[in-house]
């Protein structure tokens, strides 16, 4: 995030020592113009409101972990604008293989195993990928199959003010969900196993890219918190069958609560102590899907988005939103926040489309600065390690901070019964949605997954078409879809479009190459981290489920 | 689309059918389309019920009725010839690679030609001829091989130049062609009409045809078909014939004991156009351009063109989605590569107007050969399906062979390559089939080169040593789902990748196999031969011996511990199986058969062994890993590992002993190698396999032991003139014809199957003789290699075909094995083949049209190997006793 409407030129150049090859891009344009227009900050979650803060922030900006926060972020469109000013563009391109190796570095695919031609899962598999803009990337993703209950979990997590919270949520949330879904007997069994030191039943089977790491140091701490949770569940023993929606909500709230508690309690190990504080003081949004047969639940906290790709009878593609963004654009959200606080705060609650003028998402994990009382914050920071104490950001109390908490991790859950025409689900962080309209996303993924065939089938019908004409038409179509074949992964394909699309909606290699060759320090100006999971559904299985129900 | 079908069927002239047929037609129409409440009732019983009214079902009905079986009911779930048959492109082409397929197509062609005259139903038969184009030299070689086969079958066929192609067909762009094959007698038909014509004759002969009747269940009693249940009632029957095309798989599963029919449908597209300005002549030859993956025939003044794309679309994996094949979606994008190929081949067609793209599913099988024969589990349950899109070409012949099979108990030709029993249950997983047919369909147009292996559906059955061998550079082939080593690529050496290694010439593994052979000859090699089918037959009393003595031609009443090579013969004395049987004890036998015998041999024995609870037969294939220890030093390795004397004096050839090898006990060691080389087969309980293998390899080090594969084995056995069942031997070959009289004990004191036929042969002589040929003027490096199926010429006249071939590293020559017949020069009548006849000829082998001189031999080169003959004397001398 960057200081709004007031960033200073010198700081910009400080923050982005643009390497030589980039100069051609910007050297002829008026940098001041870029900045005066560019700094409309609408992407980053956390934004520091006033210029004096901005100023002081820049002082400690070099501190790596928060550095990303203060990088100017430019409107995407402005890039094209800037290019127009280059009178003698010296071209610097990544070659297509280089572009591909960048795009494919984080791609991951999982196919649900097929047995005897009959796939009993309604999920065929998923593709996921991430393209970093921050260094290190602040987005996280997770995917796992529930082993003790049915269903599959998939989620994207967008971190802000560092990646610690997103990392912790990506490691922990699915365990909380899985535990919330477990029947009483299984919980007992697991508890007994732990008690007697026997091997635990595996709860989740993770589907991870090698880069998706789990922190070893904290596993014991995380495990203990989780165990406390299931012990409470055992004690509660409602005896009712678990409702997925409720389970999701409980899991989200419980995890956020644990994050908060762990930070308050601290840990004797100084590394862990610092870790839990970083987790609590940074924040993350989460958009999680649970698929079990035809039952699709989306639990969303924040401004990542879930979208269903639907194929209409005529073969065309349409998008159905399965989540609501929790931000200032969502009237209900604004309404909710206002309801929860006294009328006196109404004006200061949402400023510049941000919560308390600072935070873009209206719901998030972590971010204790928006949840704890001022006293608690001060106490924790003061008793915390020096790194924390020295950090201006953590010490800074949001303005107009009267009636915390201002922020919740409680998700909004949407239940959808899958139909045969529901072909895929896209979960993505706002890095995708801010560059692409969901309708385009639906079309691009749909055409990718079906290999363009069902998009607009050509039918000769009663028309007079010659072989030559048809051949011409087909060759043209083939050329158009050839870019599809470059990618073996739907998420990669989508990123290629998100980053490289020109005004005609097709991938422009030149543009793609330029976007990807931006140096680390500059990338954040032009784009946000992008994380995408594309889940493909098995329409045959879904159709069979439907018939059964009939 | 509906109008389109009508046009497709426009040359089906219902009105020209006979009065009787017309009556049927009328009644059908009234029952089906007008839903009259009283269709003809089904009979309560019949001898045969055929399910499926396509070309296959009607052809079987036709032939059965012609052979005198008239109590036949044919059931069709929709309307006659309304399935794949209706959409079939109607090309009758005899250009086939497999000789039995070639014979079927030839017969079909001749049958269809006279069908119109016979039945009065217009079949649209036009003799147009066909031209197969070659864009590459390799393709031309492939065509020349087919041309050689066609010519010796008496089917006119010639290899022509591109210029001649242009003369035969005005539209063809010949610039990228290197040659072509012209088969002038190939024809076009309207496939639906052919089917209806066959049905007409069948119906005249008394076959009852019921449309709109679907079979829901086939009931079985005591392992035999008892009847069928349909949506219109039950019919009791003795025979059931499954001709359900792409639904055959599922129909097979409607039996209490499922009949596995491994086939799977793929979408298949072809294009129909409006007539050209100057309509094409109906006699214009059909064009097949395999390199472009397309075929083109004239169709009502325009063209019909389809092909076999590289990326097929399998369908109906989950099963029956519809009754008749409704018009599936046209998929132009999918058709684009084929359209490009078409316009490249015939550029003038650009301006031609499209009429329709037809999507017509075809069913494909795991090995691209059709499926016929009786179920191994349910007697009286016959199958004819899986035509791999050549239903019209095979229809007549296949129907005839199946009818013969039912009426006579066996068909008049060797149909083992098409026999349902070549498959086991392992090939009927839907996932396997779905993946495999996606490989098979493109293969229709791919170059067929020797020693080609399927790439899909692999690693299904493996030896416990698989990983060990794989890590040592093993390259694998598959037989009956079992992975077998071809050869071992030495470390640091790399072979060409799959596509580039396709060749009709010297392959890239030549030296690798050469060194394995050398090691077998001079030191010792290990070959994992676990895929062999292994049965144990035992009884409480003498039942096992008595039954086996009856079922096998050699004398099995040998002392315990002896191994006997013997044929399992049919009534005509032909080999149903060729196996080695060890007598483990007075009352139990251990039987080793070729890998692909697992289903066939089991069914054969099951059907013939007495139903006696004291007699048990068990398939123990999976229980033993078999290691073949080949070479002069095998004896040293084994003796060091067992501390038992295994020298020829103590362990002569053709013996079987249970002994310990390393720590492992109870290893069945047999002094045979299936190659004529000295050595041992070790049958190891699988849990000991890794241990024994490790011990053998460790101990063998000082004797220069190494791994070897089946290619080395093949070279060894062929140069020693060992015939293998399934390649050289089949149900139409007797021991007398392949110099194995010594394996037949005509005087063993009791009757056995095939004895009469053999006695007769012994008296009258044989009509074909298994012979070994050594190619004389063949340059291994430069010339085309023989494969199998090459015509053999004696004094310039065709006398037979080869059945297998290999390069002999010892002789440094190619060796071909094959059968020589003696045709009367004037009448063509088959005469007795004598030793003199064989010895007094000048021989040539025709490899893709080029003839190579060959020396014929009836006995193996024993002298060549004398210096290393040690204890294989018995094995070899057996052969020389004759």
């Amino acid at each position: 995030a960057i200081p709004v409407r007031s960033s200073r030129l010198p700081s910009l150049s400080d923050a982005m020592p643009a390497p030589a090859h980039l100069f051609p891009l910007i050297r002829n344009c008026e940098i001041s113009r870029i900045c005066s227009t560019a700094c409309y900050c609408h992407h980053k979650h956390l934004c520091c409101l006033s210029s004096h803060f901005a100023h002081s922030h820049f002082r400690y900006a070099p501190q790596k972990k928060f550095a990303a926060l203060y990088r100017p972020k430019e409107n995407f469109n402005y890039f094209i604008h800037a290019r127009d000013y280059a009178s003698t563009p010296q071209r610097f391109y990544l070659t297509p293989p280089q572009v591909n190796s960048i795009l494919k570095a984080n791609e991951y695919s999982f196919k649900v195993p097929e047995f005897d031609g009959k796939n009993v899962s309604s999920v065929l598999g998923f593709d996921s990928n991430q393209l970093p803009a921050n260094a290190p990337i602040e987005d996280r993703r997770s995917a796992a199959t529930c082993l003790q209950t049915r269903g599959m979990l998939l989620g994207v997590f967008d971190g802000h003010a560092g990646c610690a919270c997103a990392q912790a949520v990506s490691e922990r949330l699915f365990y909380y969900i899985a535990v919330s879904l477990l029947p009483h007997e299984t919980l007992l069994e697991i508890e007994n196993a732990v008690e007697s030191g026997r091997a635990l039943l595996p709860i989740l089977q993770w589907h991870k890219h090698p880069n998706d790491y789990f922190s070893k140091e904290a596993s014991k701490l995380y495990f203990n918190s989780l165990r406390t949770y299931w012990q409470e569940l055992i004690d509660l023993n409602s005896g009712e069958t678990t409702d997925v929606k409720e389970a999701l909500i409980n899991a989200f709230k419980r995890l956020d609560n644990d994050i908060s508690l762990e930070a308050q309690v601290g840990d004797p190990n100084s590394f862990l102590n610092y870790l839990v504080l970083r987790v609590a003081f940074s924040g993350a949004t989460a958009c999680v899907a649970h698929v079990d047969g035809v039952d699709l639940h989306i639990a969303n906290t924040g401004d990542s988005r879930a979208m269903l790709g639907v194929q209409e009878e005529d073969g065309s593609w349409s998008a159905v939103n399965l989540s609501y963004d929790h931000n200032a654009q969502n009237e209900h959200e604004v309404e909710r926040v206002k309801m929860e606080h006294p009328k006196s705060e109404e004006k200061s609650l949402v400023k510049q489309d941000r919560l308390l003028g600072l935070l873009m998402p209206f719901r998030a994990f972590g971010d204790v600065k928006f949840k704890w009382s001022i006293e608690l914050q001060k106490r924790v920071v003061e008793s915390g390690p020096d790194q924390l104490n020295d950090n201006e950001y953590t010490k800074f109390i949001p303005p107009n901070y009267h009636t915390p908490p201002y922020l919740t991790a409680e998700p909004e859950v949407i239940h959808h019964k899958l139909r045969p025409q529901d072909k895929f689900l896209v979960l993505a962080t706002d890095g995708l949605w801010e560059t692409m309209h969901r309708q385009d996303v639906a079309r691009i993924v749909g055409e990718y997954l079906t290999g363009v065939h069902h998009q607009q089938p050509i039918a000769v019908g009663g028309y007079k078409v010659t072989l030559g004409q048809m051949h011409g038409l087909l060759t043209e179509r083939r050329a158009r879809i050839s870019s599809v074949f470059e990618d073996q992964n739907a998420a990669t394909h989508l990123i290629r479009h998100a980053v490289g699309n020109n005004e005609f909606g097709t991938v422009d290699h030149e543009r793609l190459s330029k976007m990807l060759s931006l140096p680390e320090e500059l990338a954040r100006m032009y784009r946000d981290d992008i994380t995408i999971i594309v889940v493909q559904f098995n329409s045959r299985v879904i159709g069979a489920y439907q018939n059964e129900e009939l | 689309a509906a109008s389109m079908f009508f046009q497709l069927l426009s040359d089906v002239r219902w009105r020209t059918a006979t009065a009787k047929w017309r009556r049927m037609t009328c009644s059908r129409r009234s029952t089906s389309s007008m839903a009259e409440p009283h269709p003809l009732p089904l009979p309560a019983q019949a001898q045969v019920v055929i399910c499926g009214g396509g070309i296959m079902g009607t052809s079987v009905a036709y032939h059965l009725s012609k052979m005198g079986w008239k109590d036949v009911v044919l059931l069709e779930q929709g309307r006659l010839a309304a399935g794949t048959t209706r959409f079939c492109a109607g090309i009758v082409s005899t250009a086939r690679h497999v000789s039995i397929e070639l014979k079927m197509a030839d017969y079909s062609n001749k049958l269809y030609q006279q069908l119109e005259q016979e039945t009065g139903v217009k079949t649209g038969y036009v003799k147009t001829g066909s031209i197969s184009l070659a864009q590459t030299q390799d393709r031309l070689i492939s065509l020349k091989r087919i041309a050689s086969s066609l010519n010796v079958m008496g089917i006119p066929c010639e290899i022509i130049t591109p210029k001649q192609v242009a003369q035969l067909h005005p539209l063809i762009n010949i610039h990228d062609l290197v040659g072509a094959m012209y088969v002038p007698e190939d024809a076009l038909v309207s496939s639906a009409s052919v089917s209806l014509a066959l049905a007409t004759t069948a119906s005249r002969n008394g076959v009852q045809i019921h449309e709109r009747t679907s079979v829901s269940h086939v009931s079985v009693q005591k392992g035999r078909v008892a009847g069928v249940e349909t949506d219109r009632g039950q019919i009791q029957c003795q025979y059931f014939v499954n001709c359900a095309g792409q639904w055959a798989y599922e129909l097979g599963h409607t039996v209490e004991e499922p009949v596995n029919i491994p086939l799977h449908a793929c979408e298949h597209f072809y294009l129909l156009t409006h007539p050209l300005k100057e309509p094409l002549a109906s006699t214009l030859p059909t064009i097949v351009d395999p390199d472009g993956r397309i075929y083109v025939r004239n169709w009502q003044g325009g063209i019909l063109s389809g092909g076999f794309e590289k990326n097929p679309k399998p369908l109906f994996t989950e099963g029956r989605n519809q009754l008749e094949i409704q018009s599936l979606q046209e998929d132009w994008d999918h058709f684009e590569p084929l359209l490009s190929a078409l316009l490249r081949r015939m550029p003038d067609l650009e301006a031609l107007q499209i009429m329709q793209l037809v999507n017509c599913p075809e069913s494909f099988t795991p090995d691209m050969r059709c499926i016929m024969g009786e179920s191994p589990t349910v007697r009286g349950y016959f199958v004819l399906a899986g035509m791999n899109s050549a239903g019209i070409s095979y229809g007549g012949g296949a129907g005839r062979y199946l009818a013969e099979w039912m009426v006579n108990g066996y068909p008049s030709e060797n149909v083992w390559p098409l026999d349902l029993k070549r498959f086991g249950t392992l090939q009927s997983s839907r996932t396997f089939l779905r993946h495999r047919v996606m490989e098979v369909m493109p293969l229709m147009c791919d170059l067929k080169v020797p020693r080609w292996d399927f790439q899909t559906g692999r690693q299904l059955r493996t030896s416990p040593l698989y990983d060990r061998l794989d890590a040592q550079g093993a390259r694998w082939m598959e037989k009956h789902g079992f992975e077998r080593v071809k050869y071992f690529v030495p470390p640091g050496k790399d072979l060409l990748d799959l596509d580039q290694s396709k060749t009709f010439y010297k392959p890239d593994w030549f030296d690798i196999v050469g060194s394995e052979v050398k090691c077998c000859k001079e030191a010792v090699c290990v070959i994992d031969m676990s895929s062999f089918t292994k049965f144990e037959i035992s009884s409480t009393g003498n039942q096992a011996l008595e039954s086996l003595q009856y079922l096998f031609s050699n004398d099995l009443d040998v002392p315990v511990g002896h191994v006997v090579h013997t044929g399992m013969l049919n009534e005509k004395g032909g080999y149903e199986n060729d196996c080695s049987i060890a007598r483990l004890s007075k009352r139990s036998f251990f039987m080793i058969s070729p890998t692909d015998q697992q289903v066939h041999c089991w069914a054969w024995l099951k059907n013939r062994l007495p139903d006696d609870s004291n007699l048990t037969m068990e398939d123990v294939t999976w229980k033993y890993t078999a290691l073949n220890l080949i070479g002069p030093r095998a004896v040293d390795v084994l003796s060091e590992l067992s501390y038992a004397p295994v020298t020829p004096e103590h362990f002569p050839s053709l013996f079987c002993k249970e002994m310990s090898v390393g720590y492992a006990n109870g290893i069945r060691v047999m002094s045979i190698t299936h190659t004529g080389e000295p050595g041992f087969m070790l049958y190891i309980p699988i849990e000991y396999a890794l241990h024994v293998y490790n011990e053998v390899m460790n101990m063998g080090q000082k004797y220069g032991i190494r791994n070897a594969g089946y290619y080395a084995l093949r070279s060894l056995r062929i140069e020693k003139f060992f015939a293998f069942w399934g390649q050289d031997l089949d149900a139409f070959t007797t021991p007398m014809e392949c110099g194995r009289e010594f394996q037949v004990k005509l005087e063993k004191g009791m009757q056995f199957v095939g004895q009469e036929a053999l006695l007769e042969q012994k008296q009258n002589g044989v009509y074909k003789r298994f012979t070994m040929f050594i190619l004389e003027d063949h340059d291994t490096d430069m010339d085309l290699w023989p494969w199998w199926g090459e015509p053999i010429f004696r004094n310039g006249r065709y006398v037979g075909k080869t059945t297998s071939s290999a390069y002999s590293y010892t002789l440094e020559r190619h060796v071909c094995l094959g059968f020589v017949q003696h045709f009367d020069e004037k009448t063509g009548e088959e005469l007795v083949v004598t030793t003199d006849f064989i010895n007094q000829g000048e021989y040539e082998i025709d490899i893709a049209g080029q003839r190579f001189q060959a020396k014929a031999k009836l006995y193996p080169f024993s002298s060549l190997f004398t210096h290393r003959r040690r204890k294989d004397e018995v094995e070899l001398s057996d052969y020389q006793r004759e």
Side-chain angles (χ1 to χ4, degrees), chain B residues 5 82 87 316 321-329 359-361:
Chain B
F5 302 154
F87 296 94
F316 305 144
N321 296 30
Q322 54 200 105
L323 293 179
E324 290 174 38
I325 299 153
Q326 311 294 334
S327 107
L328 288 157
Q329 273 192 339
N359 183 351
C360 145

Side-chain angles (χ1 to χ4, degrees), chain A residues 114-118 452-454 458-461 464-471 474-475 477-478 540, chain B residues 271 273 317-318 329-334 336-337 339-340 342-343 349-354 429-431 435:
Chain A
E114 198 183 346
F115 293 108
D116 200 28
K118 294 214 169 95
V452 115
H453 293 307
H454 300 289
I458 304 180
V460 176
K464 289 186 176 177
V465 185
T466 67
L467 290 179
Q469 287 166 339
M470 178 59 84
H471 185 232
L474 294 176
T475 322
R477 276 164 75 95
R478 165 142 301 203
R540 298 198 306 260
Chain B
L271 169 78
T273 71
T317 306
E318 315 78 19
Q329 273 192 339
E330 54 190 317
D331 185 343
W332 280 99
D333 291 296
H334 192 69
E336 188 266 336
L339 180 59
S340 298
L342 172 66
L343 290 177
L349 296 185
E350 284 230 350
L352 192 56
Q353 226 182 77
I354 294 166
S429 138
R430 286 312 270 174
T431 310
H435 292 178

Side-chain angles (χ1 to χ4, degrees), chain B residues 543-612:
Chain B
Q543 301 94 325
L545 178 66
E546 278 164 19
S547 316
L548 295 185
Q549 284 285 58
Y550 173 68
L551 290 171
F552 292 87
S553 59
N554 210 338
D555 189 2
L556 290 167
D557 194 4
V558 289
V560 170
H562 277 243
V563 181
V564 177
H565 288 307
T566 177
M568 181 174 88
L569 308 182
N570 55 32
E571 283 73 13
K572 295 180 298 169
Y575 276 101
E576 288 296 330
N577 184 9
D578 180 34
C579 45
S580 311
I581 299 180
R583 190 165 193 183
L584 298 175
S585 73
K586 278 263 172 224
R587 300 187 177 92
S588 68
F589 295 85
F590 185 58
M591 174 179 169
I592 317 290
S593 322
T595 309
D596 46 1
Q597 276 282 355
Q598 200 167 13
V599 178
H600 174 68
C601 179
W602 180 266
W604 179 273
L605 291 175
K606 262 282 170 237
N607 289 337
R608 283 164 183 78
L609 285 175
D611 195 10
D612 182 348

Side-chain angles (χ1 to χ4, degrees), chain B residues 472-473 475 487-495 512 515-516 706:
Chain B
Q472 295 176 77
R475 292 288 183 276
Y487 46 79
F488 287 83
V489 180
K493 204 163 171 174
D494 225 353
L495 290 184
I512 293 175
S515 61
E516 286 176 11
R706 56 175 292 173

Side-chain angles (χ1 to χ4, degrees), chain A residues 320-334:
Chain A
V320 174
N321 273 347
L322 287 182
S323 67
Y324 303 111
D325 296 350
H326 298 136
N327 58 18
Q329 277 69 49
N330 181 341
E331 282 173 31
H332 299 285
E333 253 332 81
V334 176

Side-chain angles (χ1 to χ4, degrees), chain B residues 671-723:
Chain B
S671 44
I672 52 172
T673 61
H674 302 278
T675 57
E677 298 295 326
F680 302 92
M681 284 294 297
L682 273 52
Y683 286 91
I684 309 157
I686 53 166
E687 65 266 38
Y688 299 143
L690 195 60
H691 171 75
V692 171
Y693 175 79
N694 286 341
E695 289 295 302
V696 165
M697 292 310 275
N698 287 336
M699 190 56 74
Q701 258 178 4
K702 64 179 167 190
Y703 302 105
I705 200 165
R706 56 175 292 173
N707 291 301
Y710 270 77
Y711 282 7
L713 183 88
R714 210 173 52 119
S715 170
L716 288 169
R717 70 102 179 162
I718 286 176
E719 75 181 15
K720 282 270 171 91
F721 201 17
F722 268 42

